Amino acid sequence: YQRRVHGVGKETRVGIVEAAPSDGIGLFNLPLTTTEDEIYALFGPYNATVVKMVSHSGVFRGHAFVFFPDVATATAAKEAFQGWLTMGPNNQLIDIRFSLKSCAEYK
């Protein structure tokens, strides 16, 4: 699809532009059965400090945010899993992007 760039991290109707590196990453296209424990098991070796599972009206929406002690650690975790992390019975490819907000902004 086409991308229109209106600044770092700005979403447009035709696509999503990658956010600037931050202390967090977003995991998208997660199976709806994914648990917080599974996310911690994957990213624990990178010292994940906070996992936010995104839900609407108590129903998991298939994406989560993982936060790390610093930008360098988040970058290393993103690079380690980008392009090959699959989950669920259908081996869904997980889309990994930097979070638009820092951990402090989510609290």
Side-chain angles (χ1 to χ4, degrees):
Y1 56 83
Q2 221 177 12
R3 293 183 183 200
R4 292 185 193 150
V5 179
H6 298 287
V8 173
K10 299 293 183 181
E11 185 175 31
T12 69
R13 291 188 182 265
V14 294
I16 299 173
V17 176
E18 179 74 44
S22 68
D23 66 345
I25 56 175
L27 306 175
F28 302 91
N29 196 39
L30 291 168
L32 298 179
T33 57
T34 303
T35 66
E36 196 171 311
D37 288 341
E38 289 174 306
I39 302 296
Y40 272 115
L42 287 170
F43 293 97
Y46 292 91
N47 298 316
T49 57
V50 176
V51 173
K52 300 275 187 182
M53 304 293 281
V54 178
S55 63
H56 179 68
S57 300
V59 178
F60 179 55
R61 303 292 292 200
H63 54 279
F65 294 91
V66 184
F67 295 95
F68 303 89
D70 52 50
V71 175
T73 307
T75 301
K78 179 181 181 286
E79 289 174 355
F81 289 100
Q82 185 68 48
W84 73 267
L85 179 61
T86 59
M87 295 180 75
N90 297 326
N91 290 321
Q92 293 172 218
L93 183 62
I94 307 306
D95 182 20
I96 304 173
R97 294 182 245 144
F98 283 111
S99 174
L100 292 173
K101 296 181 180 180
S102 70
C103 187
E105 292 174 296
Y106 272 99
K107 291 183 178 179

